[in-house]
Amino acid sequence: MKAIVWQGTNRVGVETVPDPTLLLPTDAIVRVTSTAICGSDLHLLDGVIPSMERGDILGHEFMGEVVEIGRDVKKLKVGDRVVVPFNIACGACDPCRRGLFSACDNSNPNHRMAEALYGGVSGGGLFGYSHMYGGYAGGQAQYVRVPFADVGPHRIESDLRDEQVLFLTDIFPTGYQAAEQCGIVPGRDVVAVFGAGPVGQFAARSAQLLGAAHVIVIDRVPERLAMAAAAGCQTINYEQDDVLVALREATGGRGPDHVIDAVGMEAHGHGPGALADTAKQRLRLSFDRITALRWALLSCAKGGTVSLPGVYGGLIDKVPMGAAFAKGLTFRMGQTHTHRHVAPLLSRIEAGEIDPSFVITHRATLDEAPDLYKTFRDKHDGCVKVVLNPWG
Amino acid sequence: MNPDSPNPDGPNHDHASPDSQTPDGPATPDRTAEPQAAGEASTGAHMPPLERSVVGSVGVALIGAGLRSARPLQKIVLGGVGAGLTALAATGRNPLATALKIRQNAQGEVLVSDAVTVGKPAGALYARWRDLERLPDLMTHLQTVEVLDGRRSRWTVKAPAGTVSWEAELTADEPGQRLAWQSLPGAAVENHGEVLFRTAPGDRGTEVIVRLAYRPPAGTAGAVVARLTGEEPAQQLRDDLMRFKREQELGFSPTTQGQSSGRAATGGQA
Ligand SMILES: NC(=O)c1ccc[n+]([C@@H]2O[C@H](COP(=O)([O-])OP(=O)(O)OC[C@H]3O[C@@H](n4cnc5c(N)ncnc54)[C@H](O)[C@@H]3O)[C@@H](O)[C@H]2O)c1
Ligand SMILES: [Zn+2]
Ligand SMILES: [Zn+2]
């Protein structure tokens, strides 16, 4: 089959690789009908997530048709049309039973790698996202092996198009959880979202769905800001305005009640802090560049929430912790517990409250994907979200 | 979502009585008990006298070589490394062992402990562990465990050259709570240890705590090499405990062995 393969930093390619097979009786094989490139994949392209190996199949946002099931798979049937959460979870451990699916104890075969890096504990596995997260082959391919097939995949029975439900696999739940965990008081709270990429777009719209009085989106890419403005958000271009001044003004000097960092570890930025971050990341002294996180902590209102869907990988310094402490901020963060959001968000799509396909700007084949990784990373050609048809 | 965990020093968890430190002592599983294997534990690592004198002589030899060397860079490097080793020998601490957090007691035994919470009752977990001959399914470095009688057993492990085996005896067997063992005189790798089964607070199953002490065949340096090559008991223990948890909670271990990739010869139907 054809698959998108990581070939090294800044190199992804299309390769012909063996078709996946069932490895355990709880596995299924899914024939992928649509798959997307995520901002998280850019961290892999840029080589800032450790433990990738040449030849790894990428991709964690995908859906398709079940073509084969292992003998212990009970709920799923061959022929089912499913969306598959990007996290791999066992459904049986204590975190899974509490709905903390991304913290699954049992799905990461390489737990020791993550334990070594992260203080003796490991999160669950992810599709196509480094060996530290399990080394599972991803779904930017014609077929994919799906472990724990009765736990992750969610059947789509309505006649919604792929493009309307594909993002239930990651970015819609990710944006939604980012907003939900702020505890927005409807009609009162102001929410600021750093980053107008796909995750930021869904975070902003989710904040609106949850009743935010006002939503402000910050980025520097005009067409991404325009997409947020089209949903009724105020926008700030941090290259044109001093973002901290603009946020004070927009909130009567209080700062936003909640701030979502939908940028993560590769924030773009100005000034000595940002320069030092970049130098350290290049030298592999640090994984993370944290301009957006600094702005989030400095701008957030007293008693507010700083919610981090943006991914961080390692150690950071020059964090304005004093400001966070003085204001009594709450931090919420982590990989999304995608499984628990799929059914409720699917209902919202079916009810017409949101059509997630608004974010798609590029549709292409697997052969075109390597170029589109770069178009997406460099924000050329108005690119916000790329959807791939593996059979096109 | 965030049940407060009970105070670990709460009333039902008194400090260990001194005799719970001996293998045969009346040990109830106790949250605050010192590892019985611990003795005077310290993180990182006293070198035994022989190792100390070897390290010291290598250090002095390197300083000598550095001083004799004509090339200035070599002079600095050899001299520096040599001085470092000499200083180490003088202080008697192995810095690599310290950096790698290899714990040792005053008797030169390496101490290893780890714990995992498994969502099953203590009785079932104890029974699985007590079935010694089935332990090699969980502990992949074990080749066989042969039960000789009610207390004694013969353990065989895979080693870089062939196998190593020794006899051990159970020193405590408290159903549903605790097992302890001690290798018998003449063991290639002298070791003793215990495993505790303790009900976890809330609806979370059982906390399984393992404490081991062993005398590494090649001293502290041997423990460092084993740690760096990933074959050291601390790492094996972690893997074993996770394999145990997954066997109990799932009935299998997750895997990617044989999956498709862009690397050659990974199986699948091309
Ligand atoms: N927590 C999760 O489970 C999860 C899931 C999916 C994605 N993510 C993460 O979310 C983040 C965003 O993903 P995406 O797909 O939207 O990526 P993206 O790269 O398309 O979007 C990031 C946006 O941030 C903007 N930006 C960069 N620096 C900024 C700054 N200092 N201030 C404001 N904006 C800035 C960029 O211009 C870009 O528009 C990534 O870190 C991704 O890894 C996390
Ligand atoms: Zn993603
Ligand atoms: Zn789990």
Side-chain angles (χ1 to χ4, degrees), chain A residues 18 54-56 98 106 112 135, chain B residues 1 239 249 259-260 262-263:
Chain A
R54 176 184 291 253
D56 288 344
R98 293 160 67 208
N106 291 332
R112 214 160 78 182
Chain B
M1 296 292 264
D239 284 347
E249 293 186 349
Q259 75 176 352
S260 180
R263 293 176 288 277

Side-chain angles (χ1 to χ4, degrees), chain B residues 134-225:
Chain B
R134 281 183 61 220
L135 283 183
D137 299 347
L138 291 178
M139 305 176 184
T140 50
H141 63 287
L142 283 180
Q143 192 149 43
T144 56
V145 180
E146 200 184 328
V147 172
L148 303 173
D149 60 36
R151 291 186 83 75
R152 288 183 317 124
S153 49
R154 163 164 288 279
W155 297 64
T156 304
V157 303
K158 296 166 196 144
T163 60
V164 179
S165 64
W166 66 86
E167 282 184 22
E169 79 174 342
L170 281 178
T171 53
D173 182 359
E174 299 155 34
Q177 292 194 351
R178 175 171 179 256
L179 285 164
W181 67 91
Q182 164 90 54
S183 61
L184 290 171
V189 185
E190 271 179 59
N191 67 89
H192 54 105
E194 65 176 341
V195 49
L196 308 178
F197 303 90
R198 181 171 68 201
T199 299
D203 179 24
R204 283 184 284 198
T206 304
E207 299 168 357
V208 181
I209 298 99
V210 178
R211 296 163 179 164
L212 307 172
Y214 72 101
R215 208 173 279 285
T220 315
V224 169
V225 171

